[in-house]
């Protein structure tokens, strides 16, 4: 699904944000991307949803070399990817329902189908009664569940989450993690960037660790936790 | 580019309602520009029609060769210029008119015999263009029994040049004004785009194409332009209703305004279309500049 070969990303005047990273993530995997702040986790995710291009090395996405994807094609690639951020990135002037509907509107689905899908999505994150509320009136945990519902709205093959629980307390964190795990159980490939070690201890999954832009370890979280 | 235009309209209206100040600024700017453009166009049109009305005096004079038959040539001329008023003037009558035209000096002609002036057929050609006048006179010249055709060359040439120059200058002025307005308004609309950068960023994140993102902005610009065009046309029509009677009264003794001296239907329509074009151009400039960077 995703293959990186010697990928380096540099910003002018700074040490490389990613340095010679070689990594593969297969279909249906659930991967934690971890490492201290500034390790390059967000950078790796941004490369993966084509917000930026690698400085060198190759990145294959769904079997395609991203260097060969033209700007006009990026929207169609993005339609296979859902993204969740630490700060939710919901539109405050649109209702919860409208926020979740956005990926579907972008695909020009019929209005009735959008309404039906949004209802189902909100139900799956336990917020069907909030459809007409605006994001600022919701708690952080609820807003992140809305963001997850939006990311999953169009059944993406790949779900990327950048510190999705960074702003949440333990209980909300578990709720959001359950949603991501459920999506993975339905077949979506999931990559979660986090520096929260307690998450790794709770879930036995593959863990890819970065440090100063370099890949320092790749294994399952039991072994990782033992070595920490 | 958009499979659901209704949806784009909905998004455009929502966006306009959300930032009424920007909408108002854009509309007002285009309105002022269109109003000045409309005034220029109206002035040009009126001037042109006035000149054409004066050019209505223009006549082609067909002079006959000695011994040619006046009645026969007259009907031949009429056949070549259908729908024009044609008058046959025998030399005696021509002389009388000339004397009358000279007034006091007319007595100078007292000793002149009727044969000094050839028989003549006059064709009234109001509003004729220079090319038409040339073509018609060369046709007339080739008629049997015709010695010469005089089509008031200098007069027509001058009028034609004036009209052509005025039209070119006016057109250049209108286009320049339109472009300047589009650039001005695009700077205002850039603020609208900037205010919605978060929304644009998120839409692109969930897979929106540039066309999908741009469509409501373009529509918004076009709607503002159409609105401004309608307002400008309304203003001009109101101005006309208030001013035209007075203008006619003022000009009355000098030159009665020709019928249809008011605004042609093309003007309001042109203003609305021009407004839409300016709005579209302005919003296109602002959103495309933004999307290229994103
Ligand atoms: N747009 C950018 N411009 C310049 N430097 C950047 C940019 N994005 C990230 N960096 C740098 O790249 C490094 C890795 O950042 P990031 O990927 O955000 O790390 P993480 O998400 O692991 O905290 C940091 O040193 C950061 O300062
Ligand atoms: Mg980060």
């Amino acid at each position: 699904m995703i293959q990186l070969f010697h990928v380096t990303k540099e910003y002018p005047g700074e040490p490389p944000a990613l340095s010679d990273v070689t990594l593969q993530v297969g279909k249906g995997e659930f991967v934690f991307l971890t490492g201290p702040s500034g390790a390059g986790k967000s950078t790796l995710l941004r490369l993966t949803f084509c917000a930026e291009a690698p400085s060198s090395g190759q990145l294959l996405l769904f079997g395609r070399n991203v260097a060969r994807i033209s700007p006009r094609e990026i929207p169609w690639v993005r339609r296979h990817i859902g993204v969740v951020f630490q700060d939710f990135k919901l539109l405050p002037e649109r209702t919860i329902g409208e926020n979740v509907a956005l990926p579907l509107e972008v695909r020009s689905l019929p209005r009735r189908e959008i309404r039906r899908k949004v209802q189902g999505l909100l139900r799956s994150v336990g917020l069907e009664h909030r459809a007409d509320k605006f994001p600022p009136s919701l708690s952080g945990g609820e807003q992140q569940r809305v963001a997850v519902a939006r990311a999953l709205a169009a059944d993406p093959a790949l779900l990327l989450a950048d510190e999705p629980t960074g702003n949440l307390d333990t209980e909300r964190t578990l709720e959001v993690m359950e949603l991501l795990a459920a999506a993975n159980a339905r077949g979506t490939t999931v990559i979660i960037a986090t520096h929260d070690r307690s998450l790794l201890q709770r879930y036995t999954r593959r863990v890819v660790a970065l440090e100063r832009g370099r890949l320092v370890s790749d294994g399952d979280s039991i072994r990782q936790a033992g070595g920490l | 580019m958009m499979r659901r235009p209704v949806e784009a309209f909905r998004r455009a209206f929502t966006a306009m309602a959300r930032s009424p100040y920007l909408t108002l600024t854009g509309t007002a700017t285009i309105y002022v520009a269109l109003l000045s453009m409309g005034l220029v166009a109206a002035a040009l049109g009126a001037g042109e029609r006035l000149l054409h009305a004066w050019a209505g005096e223009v006549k082609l004079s067909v002079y006959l060769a000695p011994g040619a038959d006046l009645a026969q040539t007259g009907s031949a001329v009429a056949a070549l210029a259908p729908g024009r008023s044609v008058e046959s003037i025998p030399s005696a009558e021509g002389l009388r008119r000339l004397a009358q035209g000279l007034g006091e000096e007319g007595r100078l002609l007292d000793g002149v015999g009727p044969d000094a002036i050839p028989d003549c057929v006059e064709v009234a050609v109001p509003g004729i263009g220079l090319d038409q006048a040339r073509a018609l006179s060369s046709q007339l010249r080739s008629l049997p029994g015709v010695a010469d055709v005089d089509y008031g060359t200098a007069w027509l040439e001058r009028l034609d040049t004036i009209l052509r120059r005025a039209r070119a200058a006016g057109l250049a002025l209108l286009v320049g004004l339109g472009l300047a307005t589009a650039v001005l308004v695009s700077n205002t609309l850039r603020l609208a785009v900037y205010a919605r950068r978060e929304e644009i960023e998120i839409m692109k994140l969930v897979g929106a194409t540039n066309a999908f993102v741009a469509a409501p902005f373009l529509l918004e610009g076009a709607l503002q332009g159409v609105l401004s065009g309608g307002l400008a046309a309304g203003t001009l029509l109101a101005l006309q209703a208030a001013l035209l009677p007075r203008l006619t009264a003022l000009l009355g003794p000098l030159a009665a305004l020709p019928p249809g001296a008011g605004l042609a239907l093309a003007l309001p329509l042109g203003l609305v279309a021009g407004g839409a074009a300016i709005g579209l151009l302005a919003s296109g400039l602002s959103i495309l500049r933004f999307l290229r960077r994103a």
Side-chain angles (χ1 to χ4, degrees):
Chain A
M1 175 136 295
I2 304 167
Q3 294 164 286
L4 287 81
F5 299 103
H6 307 292
V7 167
T8 294
K9 178 68 186 177
E10 290 175 308
Y11 296 103
E14 299 206 33
L18 283 179
S19 182
D20 195 27
V21 173
T22 296
L23 173 71
Q24 300 198 14
V25 175
K27 196 168 184 304
E29 274 197 86
F30 188 111
V31 179
F32 284 113
L33 189 59
T34 189
S37 176
K41 307 180 293 293
S42 299
T43 302
L44 199 156
L45 294 188
R46 279 203 306 276
L47 296 182
T48 308
F49 63 84
C50 303
E52 293 177 85
S55 308
S56 67
Q58 304 231 312
L59 169 56
L60 302 189
L61 191 56
F62 311 120
R64 294 191 58 187
N65 189 338
V66 295
R68 302 237 176 81
I69 297 178
S70 77
R72 297 177 58 92
E73 288 179 275
I74 288 179
W76 274 272
V77 175
R78 291 236 175 105
R79 290 179 190 190
H80 299 293
I81 305 174
V83 191
V84 176
F85 296 95
Q86 178 170 2
D87 59 357
F88 324 132
K89 291 206 191 295
L90 300 175
L91 289 171
E93 291 165 349
R94 298 199 188 208
T95 64
I96 301 308
E98 286 167 347
N99 269 282
V100 174
L102 207 58
L104 305 171
E105 278 179 12
V106 153
R107 287 160 176 77
S108 297
L109 264 77
R111 215 159 177 52
R112 187 164 333 128
E113 196 181 332
I114 292 182
R115 197 166 327 123
R116 189 179 52 75
K117 277 203 152 196
V118 166
Q119 270 174 5
L121 286 158
L122 286 178
R123 199 174 314 119
S124 73
V125 299
L127 290 171
E128 65 270 37
H129 56 294
R130 305 288 234 188
D132 297 325
K133 294 273 184 298
F134 291 88
S137 69
L138 268 59
S139 73
E142 289 172 324
Q143 290 190 50
Q144 194 60 300
R145 274 144 63 199
V146 174
V148 171
R150 181 181 68 190
L152 293 173
D155 295 318
L158 176 63
L159 182 68
L160 305 175
D162 194 352
E163 309 277 2
T165 60
N167 283 348
L168 307 181
D169 62 32
T170 311
E171 208 173 314
R172 305 313 139 208
T173 293
L174 292 185
E175 285 172 6
V176 167
M177 286 305 296
E178 285 313 316
L179 292 175
L180 300 179
N184 178 244
R186 290 192 304 269
T188 305
T189 307
V190 176
I191 302 179
I192 300 173
T194 180
H195 62 261
D196 179 359
R197 293 186 170 178
S198 67
L199 274 187
L200 314 185
Q201 280 155 357
R202 203 178 319 264
Y203 294 90
T204 313
R205 302 296 170 115
R206 180 178 170 195
V207 176
V208 173
L210 295 174
E211 244 180 79
R212 284 190 232 121
R214 297 193 166 273
L215 193 148
V216 291
S217 74
D218 185 353
D220 75 44
S221 50
I222 300 293
R223 265 188 302 154
Q224 286 276 311
L228 289 175
Chain B
M1 85 184 184
M2 285 282 302
R3 265 194 282 153
R4 294 167 61 202
V6 180
E7 189 61 29
F9 265 107
R10 195 183 61 81
R11 288 197 287 148
F13 277 122
T14 315
M16 281 166 85
R18 257 186 218 145
S19 45
Y21 175 72
L22 287 177
T23 305
L24 216 64
T25 316
T27 308
T29 313
I30 302 179
Y31 166 75
V32 170
L34 284 176
L35 192 59
S36 4
M37 291 165 81
L39 286 172
V40 170
L44 271 176
E48 200 165 312
R49 275 191 297 272
L50 221 63
L51 283 177
H52 270 303
W54 287 335
E57 308 295 319
V58 173
K59 287 179 177 170
L60 295 187
S61 304
V62 180
Y63 297 109
L64 271 61
D69 181 72
L70 182 57
Q72 209 175 335
T73 312
S75 47
V77 168
L80 274 180
R84 306 278 191 191
S85 94
V86 174
E87 190 185 5
S88 297
I89 304 163
S91 61
E93 170 66 7
L95 198 62
R96 200 186 60 73
R97 286 191 193 178
L98 186 57
Q100 207 172 31
L102 290 175
E104 285 292 299
E105 325 289 344
R107 262 177 283 130
L108 290 174
L109 295 173
D110 275 353
V112 179
D115 291 341
I117 286 188
D119 289 341
C120 173
V121 179
E122 276 190 354
V123 190
V125 284
I128 197 170
L130 185 58
D131 292 337
Q132 278 175 285
R134 274 200 201 113
L136 183 56
S137 65
S138 80
Q139 278 180 307
L140 293 173
R141 196 168 291 143
S142 65
L143 285 176
V146 169
D148 194 15
V149 178
D150 178 6
Y151 62 95
T153 323
W155 216 122
L156 269 176
E157 298 268 8
R158 204 161 341 121
L159 178 63
D160 208 65
T161 319
I162 290 173
L163 282 183
R164 203 171 307 154
R165 282 203 194 133
R167 220 176 287 141
L171 204 67
L173 189 69
L174 293 184
V175 170
L177 213 56
L179 287 180
T181 311
V183 171
L184 198 68
V185 174
S186 89
N187 283 329
T188 312
L189 288 180
R190 263 163 79 185
L191 294 178
V193 172
Y194 191 72
R196 272 145 70 191
R197 67 194 180 285
E198 201 192 0
E199 184 181 345
I200 294 173
E201 183 201 333
I202 291 172
M203 288 210 287
K204 297 213 71 174
L205 192 69
V206 299
T209 58
N210 280 352
F212 184 92
V213 173
F217 285 99
L218 295 177
L219 257 177
E220 204 179 318
L223 285 174
Q224 286 186 20
V226 166
L227 188 66
S228 314
L231 287 175
T235 310
L236 281 181
L237 289 174
L239 272 179
Q240 161 174 267
L243 292 183
L244 199 58
R246 271 183 243 181
L247 206 63
T248 316
L250 199 71
L251 285 179
L254 274 172
L257 286 177
L263 305 172
L265 180 65
L267 191 62
L269 289 182
L271 284 177
V272 172
I278 292 175
L280 213 55
L281 189 61
S283 52
L285 280 177
S286 57
I287 183 71
L288 292 184
R289 250 187 295 186
F290 184 86
L291 284 176
R292 200 157 351 112
R293 270 187 296 118

